Amino acid sequence: AAAMTMNADLRKERAAATFQPLLLTHILDGGPERTRRRKEIEALVLNDPDFQHEDLNFLSRSQRYEQAIRKSSLMVMKLREYGIADPEEIFWFKSFVHRGRPEPLDLHLGMFLPTLLTQATPEQQDRFFMPAWNLEIIGTYAQTEMGHGTHLRGLETTATYDPATQEFILNSPTVTSIKWWPGGLGKTSNHAIVLAQLYTQGQCKGLHAFIVPIRQLGTHEPLPGITVGDIGPKFGYDEMDNGYLKMDNFRIPRENMLMKYAQVEPDGTYVKPLSDKLTYGTMVFIRSIIVGESARSLSRACTIAIRYSAVRHQSELKPGEPEPQILDYQTQQYKLFPLLATAYAFHFVGAYIKHTYHRISGDINEGDLSELPELHALTAGLKAFTSWTVNAGIEECRMACGGHGYSRCSGIPDIYVTFTPSCTYEGENTVMMLQTARFLVKSYTQVNSGQQVTGTVSYLNDLSRQRIQPQHVAARTVTVRINDPVSLVEAYKARAAWLVEAAAKNLQAELNHRKSKEDAWNRTSVDLVRASEAHCHYVVVKLFAAKLPEVSNAAVRAVLTDLCLLYALFGISKNTGDFLQAGILTSAQITQVNQHVKELLAVIRPNAVALVDSFDFHDVHLGSVLGRYDGNVYENMFEWAKKSPLNKTEVHESFHKHLKPMQAKL
Amino acid sequence: SVNPDLASERQTTSFCVEKLTALLDGGAEQTRIRRAVVEAIQSDPVFSTENQYFQTQNERYEAAVRKAVHLQKKMHEMGWTENGPEYKYIYRALSGDVAFLLHRVFMRSISVLGSDKQIAKWIPLATQLRLIGSYAQTELGHGTYLQGLETTAVFDIATQEFILNTPKISAMKWWPGDMGRSATHTVVFAQLYIHGKCYGIHPFIVQIRSLQDHSLCPGITAGDIGPKMNFEAIDNGYLMLKNVRIPRENMLSKFCEVRPDGTYVRQGSQQINYFTMTTVRISLISDEVLTPLMKACTIAIRYSVVRRQSKLKPGEQEAKILDYQTQQEKLLPQLAAAYAFHFINHYLQELFDRGYREIQRKNFDMLPELHALSSGFKAVITHHCTAAVEICLRACGGHGYSLLSGLPSLYTKIIASCIYEGENTILLLQTARFLIKCFMAASAGHPVPPSVTYLAAVKPGKCPAKNKSDFLNPDIYTEAYQHVAVRLISSTAAKLQDLIQSGAKKYDAWNQCTVQLAQAAKAHCHYITVKNFAETVEKLETKAGIQRIMKHLCDLFALHGIFSNTGAFLHDGYISAAQTDMVTASYLDLLAVIRKDAVPLVDAFDFTDKSLNSALGSYDGQVYQRLYEWAQKSPTNKMSPAYERYLKPLLHNTLSKL
């Protein structure tokens, strides 16, 4: 389509905003300089003809894989050409090139190389790192098996040491032990870091990592003893060749075990690693990335749904007047604005965890591991809490776009299918919540035995103080001012404390009834997950509220305060049962909360488009006809549809093959 | 052979699975007929869905057309007819991917909205597939709000024709199935103009493609709207009309007619134009909503007894994931919902059959109630079942994400049901409008339709439950649901009144209450569903353990609803904080009870492996072998050109400079 002017509705919306979106963008990026640099890198990619291609929606999976490989190889080359080396800048470059989608070299760049750096000996680094850096070796990280995911100890692949030849013999002894899912394994990689149960001198020494060549350098054919391939079509991840790997008596030299920590000596003697706590650090890092990714994915979906809702007119609000923008309907605002507030909340949470990770990594290098357990528990829970919320939120955004949201041209289906596996990978969410719960229960037990706890769980210290007073429900009541974020943090705190205590007491009651600890834990797990969710919810509200005083511009602070209040109050209105049952709020207060939520919707309405503009997604990155910055939706839907593969010829070949012969016979 | 982990689940069944299947089918004879249809279809290689997950949009479309054509032949061979008992099972047996579904809607709309003469002309042609029909209502700019449609049909007295036009881009017809590539005719909904006066939306039969060579007719622009989340096999289309002339006789005229001199005559209620849609809303529930949920439950529950992960007790084998309370809490409420909605669907079907007969007799009394029920239940059931399928998908972890699990396609298909045939929020508000009206009428002592008489008998009071087992009494929980529905409807009505009395315009007041109104409509439907489930259980035969297990499911459905929405029940103190704990305790106990029968309860849905088309959910539970075998068939495992073109130069370092 020819250049078009901006849709009048969107122009009006932008003019009516009470704050400058750019100032908010700076906050989200971490300063004006970061924004400038991000846009500079964005321009490098967008202006590069090498990175342009047909709309991926019209390509088959094989074609999409091919495009991704093409772009990935160019990307690696150009990153080095431009001298971009800062991890965050690499991340930006990569996500502009691949438009937020995964790509076949993800595991090579994100897991294979870093694992070599952290777990290989200097000798191994000499052998593998430079070839891998130069992409003569492309590697992946093969951990998950068909039969086991999050529960790592259950993995079945074996690596048996043979001192006679000084080799490890790798085997996939059962169907369930076949490596399954690793990205880039199916077609792209010629090496893999394989996690296997190490057997030496007749004993199992647990999981260890091995560098395994899987394809012949030169021909790329699988090596003898290796069966490797693509696991077939998935919900999303079309660009990624998630693969399977089966090994039959495949031998690798002893020196291919990653031996910076644990070692097997030539005679088969096993040398234990010093500490296993260090692996915590990587997990915290990856989970913190998922929290940030949750915020970004929801921001994209909100951008599309809110812009489209400002462009789409439907039905009538006032008799005789023109059809209103659907964003003027209370029900539409109620669907979208709490999600918008959530996107902001999670953004600040992601930034906080990233920051904390870097701070604590410093401590770890100094040998101080004291904060690690709490951070580990917190990120596990927040990874689950944010990814669950966003998973549902993206779908709500799509549904809020009605029928057109269902078309691939809306871009939301793609955001959803790309995001939804994060509820499973890097730790299945329910399992994550239960890990957090284990920490909460432990902290509760400590408090009960008279110790003080610190950090995000310090609210548990108050429980023992309350218990001195008679057990009236009213004893728990905090005076909640529903217009004050700080006061709402207290309400969430009280709810978390109440649910942690309830879960811990139920667990104790089960323990008193039954023999096994595991059984009691299992019979309390629904309560425990609820407690973890409440804890995470509290942390999110707290971090959002804490952000507000840091914002210097009054107009921006005002609009963020509205969003923070909406986030907190909406969360209460969705969980009224907890607040009522715990006696934190009265029915009358709940009615006020519900009313205030609706008032806030109207307050935020004039800033809605500016608030999504502040996320500053380029149209190419957004990949949505409905969410275009200029709002020219319908014209471009038609242009897009004309390119559909079914429209290649005016009369489809099926007519000649099937319809015509049938009609001739009738 | 059957995986021993699955086989053992079937040995302790507390009820007769075959009897339950017969109950779901509506009798053993129905089960027999259904199985015969499924067998006939699924043993025919033309109907195979084996490679479905590997095909492109074009390939799936072609397969769907091939199957639709072959189906005509098959029906003739088997002696099945449109009115025969086999007909309703054909679609289920095909498991999707068949073209010309909108052809059925095309025929139905002619039967309902056409005059006798029009029916006599078009139905025989359509029945023999001499033409292929579609149903063009939705436009690029308008969906559920029909009055906003912009396509025009102007009557030209001189030639006795209607002239149809798409005056602007947003008026383009968009989404109708079968229209992108297949249809030769379609029913177009357009604003009727006579002598410059607009008479509103009316249906017109328009030919869009040549019956000879399938090329587009003059003045027609049509094509496929491009890829969607699912329905790859269906050519959802766009249609632009430019001065397309059709004879006066092509306006469907059972209820409205344009005479040769341009006189507009209305006979009967205008509302009838929407009755087609109302019946479609109910008829889609079984095939498009319940079937996918039942399939998803079957897959997820069978997989959850085959998958073992982590240990419950030290030293023991890894536990089946269905033995984890959190997994039960995800899946078993969805299973209960599948049964609850099956029974409410049965209730609605009967009501609508009765309503249809009345309307044929031109008695429109039941219309408002039918309309409200169909809107509300369509919204509540599609929303609930969609969420349920998604829960099943995610409960299968990583493998659920593979298309080979069958779950992604079940999900992407069922989610469309939340939007088509009326966007859910709007439908809930229509039901709410009816409820508010009935509440006002009931308060004023006027008679109200049967489904809402409870609004007249508002009793104050508190939930009488004293311990957790009291919550297994259907009277206790049904009343709690009734109480919440009445409270939400009456408080919203009061709020509306307040706003209006304090000077708000009616429409403003309405918009300000819409969030509450939608909640009230949901509460009403939830209450009716619980009540109907409890009443159905009451009437079941006590033999063969059926009634007992259905009672458990009914309890679970009801208590899960309270457990996950405690605030609504606590709000005015109808249920106390202590009673809420009793509900939770009872609810969690039930999970463990139903766990034992989970596999037989999904076996009773009686889906063949071919219907499920899932590597995770087959009857024999050979999950991992199947996953491995199927993956090897993926076209991505043929040598990809990407290696020669990009990988090789990369690995050989000829991309230079690296």
Side-chain angles (χ1 to χ4, degrees):
Chain A
M4 282 180 274
T5 52
M6 173 141 17
N7 172 290
D9 288 312
L10 281 185
R11 202 178 324 127
K12 207 176 64 199
E13 295 289 337
R14 288 177 176 132
T18 63
F19 71 100
Q20 254 184 292
L22 186 63
L23 295 179
L24 188 45
T25 306
H26 291 161
I27 293 174
L28 294 172
D29 279 327
E33 172 52 25
R34 299 306 290 160
T35 302
R36 189 199 61 76
R37 182 63 180 149
R38 176 175 58 77
K39 293 183 92 76
E40 189 172 71
I41 290 174
E42 186 174 271
L44 275 180
V45 175
L46 295 176
N47 298 330
D48 187 338
D50 280 347
F51 291 129
Q52 282 160 23
H53 50 77
E54 200 182 337
D55 191 319
L56 297 172
N57 287 301
F58 303 130
L59 301 183
S60 71
R61 217 194 125 211
S62 285
Q63 290 168 320
R64 286 174 74 153
Y65 168 67
E66 194 181 322
Q67 278 297 343
I69 278 283
R70 183 183 70 79
K71 289 196 292 182
S72 293
S73 27
L74 287 167
M75 174 184 81
V76 173
M77 201 166 78
K78 294 190 184 205
L79 274 172
R80 290 171 195 175
E81 203 178 290
Y82 298 137
I84 296 174
D86 174 69
E88 187 163 17
E89 295 186 0
I90 293 176
F91 176 82
W92 286 337
F93 195 90
K94 187 178 111 58
S95 78
F96 298 140
V97 168
H98 291 282
R99 300 167 193 187
R101 291 190 175 86
E103 51 105 356
L105 294 187
D106 273 350
L107 275 275
H108 176 76
L109 302 171
M111 287 299 285
F112 190 78
L113 288 174
T115 306
L116 285 180
L117 281 176
T118 55
Q119 295 187 40
T121 62
E123 180 275 327
Q124 289 173 324
Q125 299 213 8
D126 284 349
R127 253 191 313 144
F128 293 107
F129 192 80
M130 278 325 284
W133 178 254
N134 288 332
L135 294 179
E136 285 154 34
I137 287 178
I138 296 178
T140 180
Y141 191 83
Q143 176 177 295
T144 302
E145 295 172 1
M146 215 192 269
H148 286 90
T150 305
H151 180 61
L152 290 184
R153 274 165 300 165
L155 294 178
E156 299 172 277
T157 302
T158 57
T160 308
Y161 185 64
D162 177 1
T165 61
Q166 303 216 2
E167 289 171 318
F168 291 104
I169 310 162
L170 283 131
N171 269 300
S172 310
T174 57
V175 180
T176 45
S177 74
I178 296 174
K179 294 291 175 188
W180 199 268
W181 282 111
L185 173 63
K187 302 272 106 181
T188 312
S189 301
N190 54 26
H191 282 68
I193 289 175
V194 170
L195 268 86
Q197 304 286 356
L198 165 65
Y199 284 87
T200 182
Q201 298 176 332
Q203 276 184 316
C204 180
K205 300 291 180 187
L207 278 187
H208 289 76
F210 302 85
I211 301 176
V212 181
I214 55 175
R215 288 178 184 270
Q216 185 72 51
L217 298 182
T219 64
H220 211 58
E221 292 291 337
L223 293 165
I226 296 286
T227 309
V228 66
D230 175 84
I231 63 162
K234 296 142 297 190
F235 207 173
Y237 274 52
D238 282 352
E239 286 77 12
M240 184 67 103
D241 53 323
N242 297 86
Y244 56 78
L245 171 67
K246 185 169 173 291
M247 293 168 292
D248 295 298
N249 289 317
F250 188 77
R251 287 173 172 265
I252 55 169
R254 183 183 67 90
E255 296 79 11
N256 277 26
M257 176 173 138
L258 286 172
M259 293 207 268
K260 185 165 174 186
Y261 301 110
Q263 285 164 21
V264 173
E265 293 179 347
D267 67 350
T269 308
Y270 178 74
V271 184
K272 268 206 309 207
L274 290 173
S275 161
D276 55 358
K277 271 200 175 162
L278 291 165
T279 50
Y280 267 10
T282 324
M283 281 196 283
V284 169
F285 176 66
I286 293 174
R287 286 172 194 159
S288 76
I289 289 181
I290 294 177
V291 174
E293 206 44 51
S294 299
R296 262 184 300 279
S297 299
L298 185 57
S299 306
R300 285 171 74 188
C302 283
T303 303
I304 297 166
I306 288 180
R307 286 188 186 153
Y308 176 65
S309 299
V311 170
R312 176 115 173 148
H313 289 252
Q314 203 76 181
S315 194
E316 61 181 23
L317 263 174
K318 298 176 195 178
E321 290 203 1
E323 296 180 75
Q325 294 163 290
I326 57 175
L327 201 55
D328 285 335
Y329 289 94
Q330 189 189 56
T331 45
Q332 188 76 351
Q333 296 167 3
Y334 190 71
K335 285 175 197 172
L336 295 176
F337 295 169
L339 293 172
L340 179 63
T342 304
Y344 275 94
F346 289 179
H347 181 90
F348 297 131
V349 174
Y352 166 84
I353 296 185
K354 200 166 80 178
H355 174 78
T356 312
Y357 167 74
H358 286 303
R359 183 173 58 78
I360 293 186
S361 310
D363 295 347
I364 294 173
N365 290 339
E366 309 276 300
D368 176 7
L369 302 180
S370 59
E371 282 191 69
L372 209 49
E374 192 206 339
L375 186 64
H376 180 251
L378 184 64
T379 48
L382 286 172
K383 178 263 178 187
F385 183 78
T386 57
S387 62
W388 266 338
T389 308
V390 168
N391 185 68
I394 296 169
E395 282 297 76
E396 281 181 62
C397 288
R398 187 183 56 68
M399 299 276 256
C401 295
H404 296 331
Y406 191 75
S407 165
R408 294 245 168 210
C409 80
S410 76
I412 306 184
D414 235 3
I415 298 174
Y416 176 71
V417 297
T418 304
F419 182 79
T420 186
S422 56
C423 295
T424 309
Y425 61 55
E426 300 305 330
E428 198 277 326
N429 277 356
T430 303
V431 179
M432 293 299 96
M433 282 298 190
L434 288 170
Q435 285 187 9
T436 305
R438 212 172 273 282
F439 177 77
L440 294 173
V441 169
K442 207 171 130 192
S443 304
Y444 175 82
T445 314
Q446 282 175 341
V447 168
N448 253 1
S449 63
Q451 295 172 44
Q452 289 276 308
V453 291
T454 55
T456 55
V457 286
S458 53
Y459 60 84
L460 294 173
N461 295 328
D462 301 342
L463 284 173
S464 54
R465 227 174 298 139
Q466 281 175 12
R467 217 165 291 115
I468 300 165
Q469 300 165 8
Q471 275 288 33
H472 287 310
V473 177
R476 297 193 192 287
T477 309
V478 282
T479 318
V480 180
R481 298 177 305 280
I482 64 168
N483 274 315
D484 177 6
V486 177
S487 176
L488 294 173
V489 173
E490 293 303 310
Y492 274 91
K493 195 191 262 188
R495 169 186 178 231
W498 178 70
L499 280 167
V500 171
E501 179 164 56
K505 281 184 172 166
N506 288 348
L507 180 64
Q508 193 52 51
E510 289 290 343
L511 277 171
N512 297 343
H513 277 107
R514 275 156 235 280
K515 292 175 220 103
S516 119
K517 239 168 41 185
E518 290 77 8
D519 219 18
W521 181 264
N522 187 31
R523 290 187 58 93
T524 321
S525 51
V526 168
D527 295 329
L528 290 162
V529 170
R530 280 177 74 193
S532 291
E533 284 180 318
H535 174 71
C536 294
H537 209 157
Y538 151 67
V539 171
V540 175
V541 174
K542 183 175 116 116
L543 291 175
F544 199 164
K547 185 77 198 170
L548 301 174
E550 293 174 25
V551 178
S552 53
N553 180 283
V556 173
R557 192 172 56 246
V559 72
L560 283 178
T561 306
D562 292 337
L563 286 174
C564 180
L565 280 172
L566 179 64
Y567 180 77
L569 293 173
F570 182 78
I572 293 175
S573 77
K574 283 281 142 186
N575 295 284
T576 53
D578 291 349
F579 291 91
L580 283 169
Q581 205 188 343
I584 301 163
L585 295 170
T586 63
S587 295
Q589 283 175 307
I590 294 289
T591 306
Q592 281 172 25
V593 166
N594 289 336
Q595 185 54 32
H596 201 40
V597 165
K598 286 182 269 180
E599 287 160 13
L600 280 166
L601 298 178
V603 170
I604 290 166
R605 168 68 187 83
N607 281 321
V609 168
L611 280 166
V612 297
D613 285 349
S614 303
F615 294 134
D616 198 27
F617 290 108
H618 191 282
D619 274 352
V620 171
H621 191 198
L622 209 51
S624 167
V625 179
L626 302 190
R628 294 169 61 95
Y629 186 80
D630 71 8
N632 292 311
V633 170
Y634 295 135
E635 300 81 346
N636 286 288
M637 279 181 79
F638 189 33
E639 290 306 313
W640 183 86
K642 283 193 246 173
K643 296 180 205 149
S644 166
L646 249 68
N647 289 330
K648 286 261 151 73
T649 55
E650 192 183 287
V651 176
H652 196 271
E653 57 180 343
S654 296
F655 172 74
H656 302 289
K657 269 192 185 160
H658 306 292
L659 291 179
K660 206 170 172 185
M662 167 193 71
Q663 287 171 333
K665 272 185 232 151
L666 285 168
Chain B
S1 68
V2 174
N3 181 318
D5 281 337
L6 197 43
S8 66
E9 297 284 334
R10 295 181 174 124
Q11 276 157 12
T12 52
T13 313
S14 79
F15 63 94
C16 173
V17 175
E18 187 65 21
K19 283 245 164 81
L20 182 53
T21 301
L23 172 70
L24 290 169
D25 281 322
E29 175 60 9
Q30 291 297 315
T31 303
R32 192 192 59 74
I33 297 171
R34 176 176 56 73
R35 284 179 181 159
V37 172
V38 168
E39 170 57 24
I41 298 251
Q42 294 184 347
S43 62
D44 186 330
V46 179
F47 294 121
S48 165
T49 52
E50 202 188 319
N51 289 316
Q52 192 169 294
Y53 299 129
F54 303 132
Q55 289 173 333
T56 65
Q57 199 191 355
N58 260 322
E59 288 164 343
R60 288 187 65 172
Y61 168 68
E62 191 194 319
V65 172
R66 188 177 65 230
K67 287 179 196 176
V69 169
H70 186 66
L71 182 60
Q72 288 293 108
K73 203 172 120 199
K74 190 86 187 177
M75 285 182 63
H76 185 72
E77 265 173 35
M78 303 296 298
W80 299 337
T81 64
E82 307 255 323
N83 303 316
E86 296 88 358
Y87 191 71
K88 65 176 170 183
Y89 299 122
I90 294 174
Y91 184 70
R92 168 171 163 143
L94 288 167
S95 302
D97 270 25
V98 58
F100 312 157
L101 296 180
L102 265 284
H103 186 70
R104 275 158 65 176
V105 179
F106 173 81
M107 289 174 65
R108 193 205 306 240
S109 57
I110 293 176
S111 311
V112 175
L113 302 173
S115 64
D116 292 345
K117 211 171 144 192
Q118 287 168 326
I119 292 172
K121 175 179 174 183
W122 294 101
I123 293 298
L125 289 171
T127 309
Q128 296 169 38
L129 276 184
R130 303 189 86 121
L131 54 85
I132 298 160
S134 175
Y135 182 87
Q137 179 178 294
T138 302
E139 295 172 359
L140 199 39
H142 286 92
T144 306
Y145 179 64
L146 294 184
Q147 291 102 299
L149 295 177
E150 297 171 291
T151 305
T152 57
V154 177
F155 186 57
D156 178 359
I157 298 186
T159 60
Q160 293 287 300
E161 289 170 319
F162 294 104
I163 310 163
L164 281 95
N165 268 299
T166 304
K168 55 206 260 208
I169 193 142
S170 56
M172 202 182 333
K173 293 293 175 188
W174 199 270
W175 282 110
D178 294 332
M179 198 172 74
R181 304 275 82 189
S182 306
T184 61
H185 289 67
T186 185
V187 172
V188 170
F189 283 77
Q191 303 284 0
L192 168 65
Y193 284 88
I194 310 168
H195 296 310
K197 187 180 165 197
C198 182
Y199 287 85
I201 291 294
H202 289 75
F204 302 86
I205 299 178
V206 180
Q207 182 173 354
I208 58 171
R209 286 191 176 88
S210 154
L211 289 169
Q212 295 309 309
D213 62 5
H214 217 60
S215 63
L216 293 171
C217 293
I220 301 284
T221 307
D224 174 81
I225 62 161
K228 300 140 294 190
M229 286 189 92
N230 197 322
F231 296 92
E232 289 95 332
I234 306 291
D235 52 323
N236 295 85
Y238 58 78
L239 170 69
M240 230 193 303
L241 302 148
K242 195 171 175 201
N243 290 322
V244 174
R245 289 177 167 267
I246 57 167
R248 187 180 63 90
E249 295 76 21
N250 278 21
M251 180 174 122
L252 290 175
S253 57
K254 182 167 188 174
F255 297 98
C256 308
E257 196 187 352
V258 177
R259 298 258 165 86
D261 64 353
T263 316
Y264 178 82
V265 187
R266 177 171 293 168
Q267 37 213 338
S269 162
Q270 175 71 10
Q271 262 184 300
I272 191 64
N273 278 359
Y274 304 131
F275 191 71
T276 311
M277 202 145 111
T278 303
T279 55
V280 171
R281 273 177 202 150
I282 292 304
S283 64
L284 70 85
I285 290 174
S286 169
D287 282 346
E288 304 297 338
V289 186
L290 296 180
T291 299
L293 175 56
M294 289 170 173
K295 282 183 179 175
C297 286
T298 306
I299 295 167
I301 287 177
R302 285 183 183 161
Y303 175 65
S304 296
V305 299
V306 170
R307 178 95 173 165
R308 287 176 175 274
Q309 205 75 179
S310 196
K311 287 176 186 175
L312 264 174
K313 287 171 195 157
E316 282 194 3
Q317 204 186 354
E318 290 184 74
K320 292 175 176 180
I321 58 174
L322 195 60
D323 287 328
Y324 290 95
Q325 190 189 48
T326 46
Q327 186 77 354
Q328 294 165 10
E329 213 270 325
K330 287 175 193 170
L331 295 177
L332 301 183
Q334 319 316 324
L335 178 63
Y339 279 93
F341 292 135
H342 170 83
F343 293 123
I344 196 72
N345 182 46
H346 186 74
Y347 161 86
L348 291 169
Q349 291 288 357
E350 285 192 342
L351 200 66
F352 270 74
D353 289 346
R354 192 145 44 85
Y356 191 74
R357 287 192 298 272
E358 290 301 313
I359 281 156
Q360 291 296 350
R361 276 188 240 131
K362 304 220 166 175
N363 169 11
F364 300 117
D365 291 351
M366 281 176 79
L367 257 179
E369 188 187 21
L370 289 180
H371 184 72
L373 283 171
S374 74
S375 304
F377 275 105
K378 187 268 179 183
V380 165
I381 297 175
T382 56
H383 177 82
H384 200 119
C385 293
T386 296
V389 170
E390 212 249 351
I391 290 169
C392 292
L393 191 161
R394 281 190 291 120
C396 291
H399 294 326
Y401 188 71
S402 168
L403 285 196
L404 308 181
S405 74
L407 291 164
S409 38
L410 287 172
Y411 176 62
T412 51
K413 197 157 190 200
I414 194 175
I415 52 178
S417 69
C418 293
I419 292 155
Y420 61 58
E421 305 306 334
E423 198 275 329
N424 278 354
T425 304
I426 298 169
L427 295 184
L428 286 173
L429 292 175
Q430 289 179 5
T431 303
R433 206 176 276 279
F434 169 81
L435 292 172
I436 296 289
K437 225 186 245 175
C438 292
F439 177 77
M440 306 298 242
S443 312
H446 300 304
V448 291
S451 63
V452 285
T453 44
Y454 74 96
L455 292 174
V458 189
K459 312 171 262 205
K462 306 262 175 221
C463 173
K466 293 197 173 53
N467 52 51
K468 68 175 181 179
S469 58
D470 283 348
F471 278 103
L472 301 178
N473 176 353
D475 292 340
I476 298 266
Y477 55 69
T478 307
E479 269 192 37
Y481 274 94
Q482 189 193 81
H483 179 87
V484 169
V486 173
R487 178 176 68 76
L488 287 171
I489 294 166
S490 62
S491 68
T492 315
K495 179 84 191 291
L496 270 172
Q497 287 287 26
D498 279 358
L499 285 168
I500 290 167
Q501 271 163 16
S502 58
K505 292 261 193 291
K506 229 174 167 178
Y507 50 79
D508 260 343
W510 181 262
N511 191 31
Q512 281 179 51
C513 291
T514 43
V515 167
Q516 270 171 279
L517 285 160
Q519 279 160 358
K522 277 189 214 164
H524 167 73
C525 293
H526 210 152
Y527 159 58
I528 307 266
T529 308
V530 169
K531 181 169 151 252
N532 178 68
F533 200 166
E535 286 169 359
T536 305
V537 169
E538 188 89 337
K539 286 180 241 152
L540 290 174
E541 57 169 328
T542 50
K543 271 181 284 174
I546 304 280
Q547 193 188 41
R548 200 161 48 87
I549 187 70
M550 287 299 114
K551 166 76 166 55
H552 289 321
L553 286 173
C554 179
D555 294 346
L556 185 74
F557 179 76
L559 297 186
H560 175 256
I562 301 176
F563 170 77
S564 39
N565 193 18
T566 49
F569 296 83
L570 280 161
H571 190 84
D572 61 351
Y574 182 80
I575 284 185
S576 68
Q579 284 171 327
T580 305
D581 286 339
M582 294 171 199
V583 169
T584 305
S586 241
Y587 164 64
L588 294 177
D589 288 348
L590 274 169
L591 292 177
V593 173
I594 293 168
R595 156 70 188 89
K596 297 188 197 112
D597 280 320
V599 168
L601 280 167
V602 297
D603 285 351
F605 295 143
D606 201 27
F607 290 110
T608 61
D609 284 353
K610 282 182 179 163
S611 292
L612 293 172
N613 205 7
S614 163
L616 304 189
S618 357
Y619 187 83
D620 67 8
Q622 300 297 352
V623 167
Y624 298 113
Q625 289 82 346
R626 203 167 268 115
L627 204 50
Y628 187 38
E629 269 167 39
W630 287 14
Q632 283 164 307
K633 289 191 230 162
S634 169
T636 42
N637 282 323
K638 294 177 193 123
M639 199 56 181
S640 156
Y643 175 67
E644 282 297 325
R645 275 187 219 157
Y646 304 109
L647 275 180
K648 198 170 167 185
L650 187 69
L651 294 163
H652 292 214
N653 233 333
T654 45
L655 276 173
S656 77
K657 294 181 223 134
L658 283 174

